[in-house]
């Protein structure tokens, strides 16, 4: 049950919001002035605050600034009249989630803004809980997600982690197969043993073979001393072979022999070695199809196809996007010692509108780029557009992304220009139209486009 504080001295507005919220799992509380609101905010923990700009005994924006000093994560929406657009814009720049103009003309839009704000609050609380869990667990890996497909995956992991059987992870690139492998290991009976991972597609055959099997001194040029391979090092632990479909036919045959009897030879040695390790494999291809095409050994496929966990794409778990984005925003703010955020309503919608073909990895890299390049403060849709360009072969691909750098700069200029004009005009649209030379109707459309007024 979400607790929402509504602060407004207007009886009609309070009644409208109460009627809007009564069919939702929310618990509204009401205050008619700043003093009453301050008392409630100090004594109770609200998920969302809807605050009128003008109160009988004070300024709503000033009160929110005061309360956010106590609780920086407070999700708050300022309610304001059209005459106060300048203050509303300032409130968003200072980190308030959004503003709503009164009278409310589009109740569906009002509901969407409230729902998004509550989702952001849930994301904040889950991330804070996650940080506490990580600290208590000494940094053990944790999966983020409350969508049905992620809940099902997490339940499956809990069921199979302790079974000590080979696990095959399937899913698109960027879905987090390496993280799932670490979670399986951390929850298994081998958690105290080593976790060693290698990307089979990133290494040439001879290097991958020596890495896995180890070698004796003099086995090949450059082998200056005997070296243990991953198979030996992982005794009592776990080996994670990522992109196993890229393994050469020769190494597929060698791996099969190891899995059959647990015995192998270092390169350059005739003495057999044994090791007791758990194998976790991952692929972004359909291995059954690879077997049919003759590119993957059928006998090895049946050997590793014991327990299969399929990782959902980000498109299949889009309700987790805000949680993930908030987590990455926090993570990179800490990494770069910055204070970027929060995400505005328009920024969240822009993130949700992207199809994320690179899945969680693409989202993570986008948020890293955003935090690295953003000077600090709230994030709007223009910032998001600049951070979600996809990189193809090291070059920004305009054709695939549909993002034109010129358009990004032009849009950023237009938004900044309109903001300055509106500030100069004191929030008066007619005066802003006169100063800019833009017809009032056209100016109003552009103000809607950039979120200065609601559509």
């Amino acid at each position: 049950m979400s607790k929402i504080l509504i602060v407004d001295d207007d009886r009609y507005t309070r009644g409208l919001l109460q009627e809007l919220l009564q069919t939702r799992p929310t618990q509204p509380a009401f205050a008619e002035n700043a003093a009453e609101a301050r008392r409630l905010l100090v004594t109770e923990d609200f998920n969302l605050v809807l605050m009128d700009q003008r109160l009988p005994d004070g300024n709503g924006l000033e009160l929110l600034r005061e309360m956010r000093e106590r609780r920086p994560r407070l999700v708050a929406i300022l309610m304001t009249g059209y005459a106060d657009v300048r203050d509303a814009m300032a409130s968003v720049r200072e980190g308030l989630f959004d503003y709503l103009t009164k009278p409310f003309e589009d109740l569906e839009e009002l509901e969407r803004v409230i729902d998004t704000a509550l989702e952001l609050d849930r994301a904040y609380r889950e991330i804070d809980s996650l940080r506490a869990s990580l600290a208590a667990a000494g940094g053990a890996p944790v999966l983020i997600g409350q969508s049905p497909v992620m809940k099902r995956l997490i339940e499956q992991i809990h069921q199979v982690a302790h079974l000590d059987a080979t696990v095959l992870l399937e899913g698109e690139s960027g879905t987090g197969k390496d993280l799932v492998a670490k979670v399986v290991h951390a929850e298994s009976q081998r958690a105290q043993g080593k976790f060693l991972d290698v990307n089979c597609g990133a290494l040439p055959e001879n290097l991958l073979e020596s890495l896995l099997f180890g070698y004796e001194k003099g086995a090949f040029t450059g082998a200056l001393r005997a070296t243990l391979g991953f198979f030996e090092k992982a005794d009592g632990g776990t080996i994670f072979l990522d992109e196993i479909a890229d393994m050469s036919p020769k190494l597929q045959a060698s791996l099969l022999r190891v899995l059959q009897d647990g015995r192998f030879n270092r390169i350059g040695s005739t003495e057999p070695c044994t090791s007791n390790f758990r194998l976790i494999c991952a692929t972004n291809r359909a291995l059954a199809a690879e077997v049919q095409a003759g590119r993957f050994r059928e006998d090895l496929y049946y050997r590793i196809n014991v327990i299969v966990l399929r990782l959902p794409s980000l498109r299949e778990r889009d309700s987790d996007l805000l949680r993930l984005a908030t987590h990455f925003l926090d993570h990179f703010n800490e990494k770069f010692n910055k204070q970027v955020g929060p995400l505005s309503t328009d920024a969240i919608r822009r993130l949700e509108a992207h199809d994320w073909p690179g899945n969680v990895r693409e989202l993570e890299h986008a948020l890293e780029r955003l935090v690295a390049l953003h000077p600090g403060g709230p994030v709007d849709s223009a910032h998001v557009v600049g951070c979600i360009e996809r990189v193809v072969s090291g070059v920004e691909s305009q054709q695939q992304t549909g993002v034109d750098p010129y358009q990004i700069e032009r849009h950023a200029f237009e938004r900044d220009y309109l903001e300055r004009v509106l500030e100069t005009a004191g929030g008066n649209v007619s005066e802003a139209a006169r100063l800019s030379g833009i017809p009032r109707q056209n100016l109003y459309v552009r103000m809607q486009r950039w979120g200065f007024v609601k559509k």
Side-chain angles (χ1 to χ4, degrees):
M1 183 75 70
S2 299
K3 297 177 64 176
I4 301 178
L5 175 61
I6 299 165
V7 186
D8 200 312
D9 62 330
D10 180 56
R11 180 181 302 176
Y12 172 78
T13 300
R14 296 197 307 272
L16 176 65
L17 290 172
Q18 183 174 25
E19 182 178 351
L20 186 74
L21 296 172
Q22 66 183 2
T23 59
R24 296 166 173 267
T26 58
Q27 180 182 340
F30 299 91
E32 298 184 21
N33 53 58
E36 189 176 354
R38 182 180 289 105
R39 179 182 62 79
L40 289 171
L41 285 167
V42 169
T43 58
E44 298 190 43
D45 182 18
F46 290 97
N47 301 95
L48 173 64
V49 177
L50 292 162
M51 179 84 70
D52 189 31
Q53 163 76 349
R54 298 184 180 184
L55 297 171
D57 56 345
N59 182 289
L61 180 56
E62 291 298 326
L63 177 57
L64 286 174
R65 286 173 183 154
E66 175 189 334
M67 290 300 103
R68 282 175 61 83
E69 289 182 3
R70 298 181 181 218
R71 185 184 155 194
R73 297 260 207 187
L74 179 68
V75 180
I77 296 173
L78 191 71
M79 299 184 293
T80 182
Y82 283 110
D84 298 316
V85 168
R86 181 174 58 178
D87 287 339
M89 290 160 46
S91 74
V92 173
R93 285 200 305 272
E94 292 179 11
L96 297 188
F97 178 68
D98 208 341
Y99 68 91
L100 299 170
T101 51
K102 297 192 301 182
F104 306 126
E105 297 178 355
D106 187 343
L107 294 184
E108 289 186 359
E109 173 65 15
L110 173 60
E111 288 181 292
R112 283 195 294 270
V113 172
I114 291 175
D115 287 343
T116 305
L118 290 173
E119 183 65 22
L120 180 62
D121 175 78
R122 283 191 290 271
Y124 279 151
R125 292 173 187 268
E126 287 177 17
I127 295 306
D128 290 341
S129 176
L130 173 64
R131 285 175 173 268
S133 299
L134 287 171
V142 177
L143 292 172
I144 296 174
Q146 292 294 319
S147 60
V149 289
M150 279 304 293
K151 286 183 176 179
R152 186 162 58 250
L153 175 63
I154 293 171
E155 181 181 350
Q156 290 173 337
I157 291 172
H158 293 331
Q159 291 174 344
V160 307
H162 70 282
L163 297 180
D164 208 34
T166 299
V167 176
L168 175 62
L169 306 177
E170 295 184 334
E172 297 178 12
S173 293
T175 50
K177 295 185 286 292
D178 54 342
L179 180 59
V180 170
K182 292 175 183 176
V183 173
V184 171
H185 170 74
E187 295 190 9
S188 73
Q189 301 171 8
R190 298 174 177 267
Q192 300 306 313
K194 290 184 177 180
F195 177 87
L196 302 176
D197 64 300
V198 59
N199 188 321
C200 299
L203 300 173
E205 178 186 286
N206 59 343
L207 185 55
L208 180 57
E209 182 181 26
S210 62
L211 183 67
L212 293 175
F213 289 85
Y215 50 88
E216 296 291 344
K217 180 180 179 180
F220 50 82
T221 302
L224 303 180
R225 61 182 181 275
T227 301
L228 298 182
F230 274 21
F231 290 150
E232 287 182 83
K233 291 180 179 179
D235 188 25
T238 303
I239 292 180
F240 173 49
L241 297 182
D242 198 5
E243 304 302 349
I244 193 171
D246 291 332
M247 186 177 279
S248 70
K250 174 189 173 184
L251 284 183
Q252 289 180 34
S254 300
L255 176 60
L256 178 62
R257 288 194 296 271
V258 176
L259 296 179
Q260 285 174 335
D261 56 22
R263 297 164 66 87
F264 58 92
N265 298 89
R266 294 182 196 164
I267 299 173
S269 173
T270 58
E271 292 295 324
C273 301
T274 61
S275 181
N276 177 18
F277 60 84
R278 183 183 196 175
L279 179 66
I280 301 177
C281 304
T283 178
N284 61 2
R285 305 185 206 171
L287 279 188
E290 294 296 301
V291 171
Q292 288 288 333
R295 291 187 291 266
F296 199 82
R297 291 181 64 104
E298 185 175 16
D299 46 6
L300 178 58
Y301 171 65
Y302 291 127
R303 176 66 66 172
I304 65 175
N305 189 34
V306 179
I307 296 173
V308 180
L309 298 179
R310 181 186 172 276
L311 277 66
S313 67
L314 190 51
R315 298 179 298 282
E316 298 173 86
R317 49 179 299 208
D318 54 2
S319 60
D320 289 329
L321 188 143
L322 182 54
R323 294 179 178 87
L324 291 164
T326 304
H327 165 67
F328 291 136
L329 195 66
D330 268 13
H331 171 73
F332 291 115
N333 270 324
E334 183 176 352
K335 179 180 178 180
F336 299 138
N337 193 26
K338 299 185 74 172
Q339 292 183 340
V340 175
L343 298 166
S344 69
T345 309
D346 291 336
I348 292 171
R349 289 177 181 172
R350 187 63 187 85
L351 288 170
E352 292 174 340
H354 188 56
D355 58 0
W356 302 108
N359 293 295
V360 179
R361 183 186 297 123
E362 182 187 359
L363 177 64
E364 179 181 8
H365 291 171
L367 268 296
E368 181 177 17
R369 185 183 309 139
L370 188 151
V371 175
L373 300 179
H374 198 290
V379 176
D380 61 25
S381 59
H383 299 127
V384 170
V385 169
C387 82
I388 61 177
E389 300 174 53
R390 294 176 218 153
V391 179
V392 180
S393 300
V395 179
E396 298 295 327
S397 174
Q398 293 179 206
Q399 183 177 9
Q400 290 195 16
T401 62
V403 176
D404 183 348
Y406 169 76
Q407 292 295 334
I408 294 173
E409 294 299 327
R410 186 177 72 81
H411 290 167
F413 170 80
E414 179 178 296
R415 188 184 188 287
D416 291 343
Y417 174 72
L418 290 179
E419 185 173 342
R420 290 195 300 271
V421 169
L422 283 167
E423 287 184 349
T424 302
N428 185 295
V429 179
S430 297
E431 177 64 10
R434 188 189 68 79
L435 292 173
S436 65
I438 302 173
R440 189 181 188 283
Q441 184 175 358
N442 293 350
L443 177 65
Y444 197 80
V445 170
R446 298 185 187 190
M447 289 170 63
Q448 288 181 322
R449 177 192 303 165
W450 299 118
F452 297 137
V453 295
K454 298 301 178 186
K455 295 183 181 180

